[in-house]
């Protein structure tokens, strides 16, 4: 059974999963080309040998880690496990289901070593050098709270909102040098919507090289600020998540049209669909790329997930327009 089908299932949690007082944080190893049914924002596939540890992590947070042989990313995202189920038709394997909306990519990927030292105490020798074998090779590792906070603080900086707010402009007086940073607890930061929106916007726009995925244009204002926006394909309020694969970089007008179901993406995941009974032909010609195809992100792993595009076609595209003014179209 594929991960897409699992999204629609609501199976029972295994007995003992999430038992009060037993929650722990984990590191989960993930490879983009894994033979298992891993989708970091949806599900993690693992064998029975890790069942006890993963059960204890239900309702708690995990950090994803890319092993050395799989690529250069190191620690690259956080998510929360909602439940554990037996994998259908696969004796001895289990699935950790990710809580919808909890997945969050790191703004900056965290290297495996900093100044030659591991970020996990369990991987560190007494002299600070990396251990070899043993825990290093485990696909599921328990993660102490201090190590979790350290990794998250590297990947998701406390002051990310300030970094973004002053990225292209002079900082306002309250953000000027000397202003104290309000330090939010790590877990508060992970669930705070304004912070997550900043992470999502930065990751999606960068994935598309600050180019609109439907027009192909890369527009910047006089100060160098990109005009492209980050659109959720499946909205957060409809259990959409903040992975880049649930995002499109779009101009303001196309973002408005996408959210209102005037445009979508076909089953081939590249052809732009237009609600022609609502959108005049001359508008299409002025706004969309001549070939009618999506611009692809620079990294194929960031391409829109087919399941997210399907949800948009079936739930948003072609629906009746909600009230609200449309943005002005380009001349």
């Amino acid at each position: 059974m594929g991960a897409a089908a699992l999204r629609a299932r609501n199976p029972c949690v295994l007995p003992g999963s999430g038992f009060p007082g037993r929650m722990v944080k984990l590191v989960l190893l993930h490879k983009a080309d894994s033979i298992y049914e891993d989708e970091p924002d949806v599900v993690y596939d693992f064998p029975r040998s890790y069942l006890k540890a993963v059960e204890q992590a239900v309702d708690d947070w995990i950090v994803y880690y890319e092993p050395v042989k799989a690529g250069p990313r190191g620690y690259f995202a956080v998510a929360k496990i909602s439940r554990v189920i037996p994998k259908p038709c696969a004796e001895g394997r289990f699935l950790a289901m990710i809580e919808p909306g909890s997945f969050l990519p790191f703004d900056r990927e965290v290297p495996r070593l900093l100044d030659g030292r591991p970020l996990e105490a369990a991987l560190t020798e007494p002299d600070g050098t990396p251990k070899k074998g043993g825990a290093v090779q485990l696909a599921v590792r328990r993660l102490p709270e201090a190590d979790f906070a350290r990794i998250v603080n590297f990947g998701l900086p406390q002051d990310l909102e300030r970094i973004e707010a002053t990225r292209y402009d002079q900082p306002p007086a309250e953000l000027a040098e000397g202003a104290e940073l309000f330090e939010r607890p790590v877990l508060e930061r992970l669930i705070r919507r304004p912070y997550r929106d900043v992470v999502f916007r930065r990751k999606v726009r960068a994935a598309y090289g600050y180019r609109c995925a439907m027009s192909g244009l890369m527009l910047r204002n006089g100060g160098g600020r990109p005009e492209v926006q980050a659109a959720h394909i499946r909205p957060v309020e409809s259990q959409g998540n903040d992975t880049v694969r649930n995002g499109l970089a779009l101009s303001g007008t196309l973002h408005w049209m996408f959210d209102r179901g005037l445009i979508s993406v076909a089953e081939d995941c590249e052809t732009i669909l237009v609600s022609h009974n609502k959108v005049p032909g001359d508008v299409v010609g002025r706004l969309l790329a001549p070939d009618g195809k999506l611009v692809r992100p620079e990294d194929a792993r960031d391409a829109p997930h087919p399941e997210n595009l399907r949800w948009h076609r079936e739930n948003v595209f072609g629906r009746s327009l909600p009230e609200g003014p449309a943005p002005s179209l380009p001349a």
Side-chain angles (χ1 to χ4, degrees), residues 10 12 64 76 85 90 107 148 157 232 276 303 309:
N10 187 26
C12 297
Y64 280 113
F76 64 91
I85 64 172
D107 182 71
F148 175 80
H232 282 89
H276 288 286
L309 294 175

Side-chain angles (χ1 to χ4, degrees), residues 60-115:
D60 211 337
W61 292 85
I62 59 89
V63 173
Y64 280 113
Y65 173 88
E66 185 172 78
V68 174
K69 294 181 179 180
R73 290 193 294 176
Y75 306 92
F76 64 91
V78 292
K80 194 173 184 180
I81 295 177
S82 65
R83 63 190 189 276
V84 176
I85 64 172
K87 183 175 181 180
C89 305
E91 180 66 27
R93 298 203 68 85
F94 299 84
L95 301 175
M97 307 305 295
I98 302 303
E99 181 177 299
S102 68
F103 179 89
L104 189 65
F106 285 161
D107 182 71
R108 56 189 184 193
E109 288 151 4
V110 181
R112 300 175 181 91
L113 302 176
L114 285 175
D115 299 325

Side-chain angles (χ1 to χ4, degrees), residues 55-261:
E55 282 182 331
Q56 292 176 348
V58 170
D59 291 330
D60 211 337
W61 292 85
I62 59 89
V63 173
Y64 280 113
Y65 173 88
E66 185 172 78
V68 174
K69 294 181 179 180
R73 290 193 294 176
Y75 306 92
F76 64 91
V78 292
K80 194 173 184 180
I81 295 177
S82 65
R83 63 190 189 276
V84 176
I85 64 172
K87 183 175 181 180
C89 305
E91 180 66 27
R93 298 203 68 85
F94 299 84
L95 301 175
M97 307 305 295
I98 302 303
E99 181 177 299
S102 68
F103 179 89
L104 189 65
F106 285 161
D107 182 71
R108 56 189 184 193
E109 288 151 4
V110 181
R112 300 175 181 91
L113 302 176
L114 285 175
D115 299 325
R117 294 171 175 260
L119 289 171
E120 298 177 59
L123 306 186
T124 310
E125 297 286 3
D127 63 358
T129 58
K131 288 183 177 180
K132 297 180 180 179
V136 179
Q137 299 174 350
L138 295 176
V140 175
R141 303 193 291 260
R142 288 180 172 83
L143 186 65
E145 294 283 348
D147 291 354
F148 175 80
R150 187 180 183 205
I151 292 169
V152 171
N153 282 331
F154 274 112
L156 295 166
Q158 285 268 359
D159 58 345
L160 187 62
E161 291 166 283
R162 176 164 63 178
I163 291 171
E164 181 65 11
T166 61
R167 189 175 180 183
Y168 302 101
D169 304 315
Q170 290 296 320
E174 63 270 20
L175 296 179
E177 185 177 353
E180 292 188 12
L181 172 67
F182 174 70
E183 294 191 5
R184 296 181 180 274
V186 169
L187 295 185
E188 180 185 341
R189 201 183 328 152
L190 295 181
I191 64 175
R192 185 170 172 269
R193 190 67 248 166
Y195 186 92
R196 295 180 68 95
D197 284 341
V198 168
V199 177
F200 178 75
R201 181 166 67 250
R202 286 168 62 90
K203 298 295 286 189
V204 170
R205 297 195 306 175
Y208 285 85
Y210 303 94
R211 187 180 303 276
C212 175
M214 289 191 172
S215 72
L217 297 178
M218 182 171 61
L219 302 175
R220 295 180 180 266
N221 66 18
R225 180 185 297 276
E227 294 296 332
V228 72
Q229 302 175 1
H232 282 89
I233 299 171
R234 181 169 184 163
V236 172
E237 57 268 25
S238 297
Q239 294 194 322
N241 55 50
D242 294 306
T243 177
V244 177
R245 301 201 70 187
N246 189 40
L248 286 171
L250 297 174
S251 69
T253 300
L254 288 169
H255 188 173
W256 182 91
M257 294 173 68
F258 186 78
D259 285 351
R260 282 153 182 79

